[in-house]
Amino acid sequence: MSAALQPAPEPESGALTILAIETSCDESAVAILRQSGTEPAEILCSLVSSQIQLHRSYGGVVPEVASRNHSLILRTLVENALDHAALQARDVDAFVATRGPGLSSSLLVGHTMAKALAAASGRHFLSVNHMEGHLLSPFLSGQATSWGSSGIKIPPHLALIVSGGHTMLVHARKAGDYHILGRTVDDAAGEAFDKVARMLGLPYPGGPEIEKQARAGDPEAFQFPRSMPGDLNFSFSGLKTAVRYTLPKVSNLTTRLPDICASFQKAVTDVLVLKSLRAAKEHGCNTITLSGGVSCNEFLRSALSDGCLSDGLRFLPCPSRLSTDNAAMIAFAALLKLQSGANGSLSEDIDPNLSLSRQDSTS
Ligand code: KG4
Ligand code: ZN
């Protein structure tokens, strides 16, 4: 495809307005972000249309249902976002979308929509990594950032990203410079929450349901295993299996549900906290960030916060409203790439397996 696009907006050209589309899984999301001068970025509008009710009866996300619904809702979401921000398409400097990782049929819908908007209005197009969106989300409000010659600078840190599809420990030296230290070798943390919830008869997505039940439970009631391989990788399938084998032995499941949920949640949290603190120590990081859907979990947030406090580390959790999938984090990741001189192209394709460490600050 070829089209006359505007060159990438200049970092020092005053205000920069970005419209981002996120459709990597089952949330259709559109956000508009504006960055003026050296002020922190401002979210003018962030809309998320959840498909949870549609997928609930299947117990998980059905790719074809997800992509079909993205294509049904996206146009309305984009129009509503522009209306809400009192803008027109021509006021937007760059249209951006998630390139991957995610479900290919879902990614294609948002990616193609952003390209079409960019081509129709002659504006810039850029696509970004979904995991980079999560990783950078704790800095969107401007906390702990500074202003450098090429725009917003994020501090070196250790990032724990916990979502439905990924569990990652990343050493981020600066925006775009990422070294993956550990990841899950089987289920992601959110996936483990979802699968255990399903075993317990709780609805999808399971994370918030387990957290709700766990509030009334005893985290020490069941001694579930903590898989601690010597490296910084994670494994949650043994824990999931332990819960499965425990259930038939529990005589009154309904009354013990809160104890099972609290013990499971504690087992996941112990591993995540211990490995994050170890990774920060081994790699000389004095800041730990927490992001991704599972970072909504208050038990995990406070355990990691306590761990950071006792190890003398700064803890920067993502605000809850930006933890689960949203397009504001995609717009922010794009903003940092544009400021560092990145140029997108309409010939760019989605990549369902896009890796975080393959990219660099200018690609
Ligand atoms: O980041 P996200 O919205 O989507 C992906 O990129 O995967 O994460 C969704 C995941 C789901 O597995 C959901 O169960 C989990 O985040 N989650 C939680 C909580 N809220 C959402 N897990 C534990 N506790 C929560 N409060
Ligand atoms: Zn996500």
Side-chain angles (χ1 to χ4, degrees):
M1 196 196 303
S2 71
L5 289 185
Q6 285 206 343
E10 288 296 322
E12 273 115 346
S13 66
L16 195 56
T17 304
I18 296 172
L19 186 150
I21 301 177
E22 151 63 36
T23 57
S24 64
C25 191
D26 61 340
E27 316 279 17
S28 317
V30 175
I32 301 178
L33 192 77
R34 174 173 291 158
Q35 212 268 312
S36 313
T38 57
E39 294 296 309
E42 184 189 358
I43 301 171
L44 299 184
C45 179
S46 178
L47 304 177
V48 180
S49 170
S50 172
Q51 299 182 10
I52 283 175
Q53 293 306 333
L54 292 170
H55 298 279
R56 199 160 251 182
S57 58
Y58 302 99
V61 178
V62 182
E64 195 198 319
V65 174
S67 55
R68 198 181 281 176
N69 282 282
H70 288 314
S71 56
L72 286 175
I73 193 80
L74 259 191
R75 180 177 173 173
T76 308
L77 279 185
V78 169
E79 287 172 357
N80 288 352
L82 287 168
D83 279 354
H84 188 95
L87 295 175
Q88 298 190 339
R90 63 168 180 270
D91 301 319
V92 174
D93 297 299
F95 290 92
V96 311
T98 304
R99 183 172 172 216
L103 300 170
S104 52
S105 51
S106 286
L107 289 165
L108 262 177
V109 179
H111 206 251
T112 306
M113 178 81 163
K115 279 184 185 177
L117 285 162
S121 54
R123 296 309 201 207
H124 193 64
F125 168 76
L126 191 75
S127 59
V128 302
N129 188 308
H130 179 83
M131 301 313 294
E132 186 172 21
H134 279 305
L135 183 143
L136 294 171
S137 58
F139 301 102
L140 202 161
S141 64
Q143 71 166 340
T145 60
S146 54
W147 191 263
S149 53
S150 59
I152 298 165
K153 274 176 71 178
I154 61 151
H157 65 277
L158 185 281
L160 172 62
I161 314 173
V162 271
S163 70
H166 296 82
T167 301
M168 275 184 182
L169 278 172
V170 183
H171 183 194
R173 298 185 190 90
K174 59 177 181 166
D177 183 350
Y178 309 125
H179 178 44
I180 299 173
L181 305 176
R183 50 159 50 105
T184 181
V185 296
D186 40 53
D187 292 335
E191 197 179 354
F193 269 97
D194 295 339
K195 287 179 175 170
V196 166
R198 196 174 179 177
M199 278 180 220
L200 298 172
L202 297 170
Y204 171 84
E209 300 294 327
I210 287 189
E211 178 171 24
K212 223 183 286 167
Q213 291 287 336
R215 285 198 196 108
D218 173 7
E220 307 298 337
F222 292 86
Q223 285 310 308
F224 292 132
R226 276 84 169 139
S227 170
M228 293 285 182
D231 55 20
L232 293 171
N233 286 328
F234 300 96
S235 166
F236 294 111
S237 71
L239 169 59
K240 190 185 65 187
T241 308
V243 176
R244 172 169 289 130
Y245 285 144
T246 299
L247 296 186
K249 298 182 206 147
V250 178
S251 50
N252 191 339
L253 199 54
T254 315
T255 53
R256 300 303 307 277
L257 199 57
D259 285 344
I260 297 171
C261 289
S263 303
F264 165 76
Q265 180 176 264
K266 173 94 166 60
V268 174
T269 298
D270 281 354
V271 179
L272 292 174
V273 171
L274 191 135
K275 295 238 167 174
S276 302
L277 296 177
R278 188 196 291 169
K281 196 171 179 186
E282 285 177 9
H283 292 269
C285 300
N286 60 14
T287 299
I288 294 184
T289 63
L290 174 66
S291 62
V294 183
S295 73
C296 289
N297 189 286
E298 289 296 336
F299 188 81
L300 169 63
R301 286 168 98 87
S302 76
L304 191 52
S305 171
D306 291 349
C308 286
L309 194 64
S310 60
D311 282 12
L313 304 173
R314 177 167 62 167
F315 178 51
L316 300 176
C318 173
S320 289
R321 75 196 154 89
L322 295 176
S323 291
T324 48
D325 288 349
N326 65 86
M329 68 181 193
I330 301 302
F332 186 61
L335 170 65
L336 267 61
K337 284 170 86 80
L338 288 167
Q339 288 183 332
S340 69
N343 270 307
S345 151
L346 286 181
S347 58
E348 206 163 88
D349 196 7
I350 56 146
D351 182 351
N353 301 310
L354 187 63
S355 147
L356 189 59
S357 53
R358 235 191 291 141
Q359 50 185 15
D360 59 53
S361 54
T362 52
S363 65

